[in-house]
Amino acid sequence: MTAELVRGQNHPLSQARLEIRVSAGKPVVAGATLGDEHGKVHGVEWVAHPGAPTLPGLEVSRQAAADHRLAVDLDAVPEAVHRISVLLALPTGVGGPVRFGGLAAPFLAVTGLDGAEIASYTITGLETESAVVALELYRRPGAWKVRAIGQGYAGGLVELLTDQGLSEANCLATGINDAVAQGMARSVPAPHAATGSYGTQTPDTPGRPTTPYGTQGTPAPVAPQGAQEPDPGTVGEPAAATPAVGGPINYSHPGRQTAAPPPPPPTAPPAQPGQPAQPVAGDATGWSMDERLYNQVWGMFEDLARTTAAYRSAVDFADSRMEKELDQVLSDPRSRIGGQGDAARDAAQAKHAQLVDQARAALDRDLAQLTAESDVVEPALPPAYARWDNPVWHGYRVPMEIPMAVRLGDLHLPEAALLRIPMLVRLPLERGLWIDAGRADSLDGSYVDSHEVKRLAMETAVAHAARLLAVYPAGEFTVHVLDPAGTGTQALAPLVHTGVLAEPPAVGAAGVSQVLGRLTQRVDLVQMAVRGGAPDALPPGFDTSEQLLIVNDFPHGFDDRAVTQLRYLADEGPRVGVHLMMVADREEASAYGPLLDPLWRSLLRLTPVPDDHLADPWVGHAWTYEPSLAPAGSQVLRQVLAQVAKARTK
């Protein structure tokens, strides 16, 4: 159970290897200092920051970002270190906020490597401060604890570092800000001087993915700002009592740095002079190959978002510049007609074409590198991340552990329609899914028959359910189906015939009432056990696996009581392992009016046909989502489900 800390409160840490996750809403700099038993920082080599992100037992992010992951290995921290202070600061000189009072309250969570939160802290009460000591991990005889600090400094990093006893605070703060500025400049190649200033901010992340990554994940033309999902980095063994700064960093992709904890990731073959490094699968950071691939896919998503935003911003700049120059020509009556006006118009249009061509060349260069990376990464993905046509499914075996995430489809942008980025959502699911079976128009403008949409929606739901069953260990994921009118019989055949369902699909109002009542009771029991501090005191034989309820043809077969129970499951179920997958047309439930609005908002909307409905509020992109379905005529779905059913019987 997560401990929600208030300022000054502490909580014991039962694990040595941790992640500290930061969510600030806007790009911030994350760092950490190592202190002795008195809290004193003995030198710049005791500070982890974007310019020197790696210390023994600790790695921080290399860029300013809205979301960070800091990797900590308490067993690898030198004996001389008794305190690890986590710092947040606003980057300077990049046109962003200058005080924390203008941001949403920063949120920090200390988690285990499985993602389970141990303690969390929301920093409130900040106003003029531009730097803050958020948390500290401190050593007590035989144990480590975390304490919520929330101490802000209006003087920024200089004042904060000086307060921690660092005599070189001014110089170090300048170096940190320089490293952040350089990291942002690397995120998007700087435009040619003639193009003006353009750039991008990256998405707020499945979750923030939420972007498609949440967290996943990450507006208008501004100076370049990288908000890449930070990587939990290298955590080395201490060689001496004094922390050592990490070694050089290899770049395998423009705009993204990688340095992974042990075991080391694959290294790319050396590049020819003047040529970009060859991409390899798993070159991001992480404790396992699955985590490295997840972070690499997330980095590809951010890189595509950045370079596309930079291109669009450059085109907008070129358009506005040409309009301004043409307005100047037309404002002078003497130049409206005749050779002088024509020459001015031709010059403005030529300059516009030059700027657009320069931006397109930069975009094409980045797209070529991303495509090369995708061609390497896609075949290397594990089943949880892979498309159904990936050969990895032919060697499928029921896993022993739950993966970090699961693939729910692909994402792409109009500028790179052939480049698909896997849409990975973290597990366990934090919100339900809504497969929209309503009327849909295809992206090419053609009309899609409503019956065909409903059929595809149910097939999409079955494909998602099959994947979830396949990526969980045997017996740790249970699927229930409500099909009141029996309209999903054909699409549900792979689940029914392989025997992976908990029971046959429930039909009619009586079946709906029975299943909803049982799952509602389950949520109540688990909540009471958790609140009572006795999660192990559940009834004998209680099924502790994650539960998924697929609801087809809502609201057919639902009375008012059933609708209330469904809303309850959507709100309270995910916290105790009960998840919804709605296959429904919102217009068919319009009779309930605003009563169901919270239900739809609580679910992640997916479509059975390609649709550009996934908004990226930070950079302003509308990502096109395409569901992940098994190839036509393929038996891979049934073969995988048969192995799942066989593993359950054993």
Side-chain angles (χ1 to χ4, degrees), residues 460-470 477 479 495 548 550 581 641:
T460 301
V462 170
H464 291 331
R467 184 182 290 269
L468 287 167
L469 284 164
F477 197 83
V479 177
L495 299 177
L548 175 68
I550 301 176
M581 185 185 293
L641 290 176

Side-chain angles (χ1 to χ4, degrees), residues 591-618:
Y592 288 95
L595 177 66
L596 291 181
D597 286 351
L599 173 64
W600 304 120
R601 287 196 297 267
S602 69
L603 305 174
L604 173 61
R605 177 176 175 254
L606 303 175
T607 55
V609 295
D611 187 76
D612 57 351
H613 69 282
L614 287 177
D616 188 343
W618 199 330

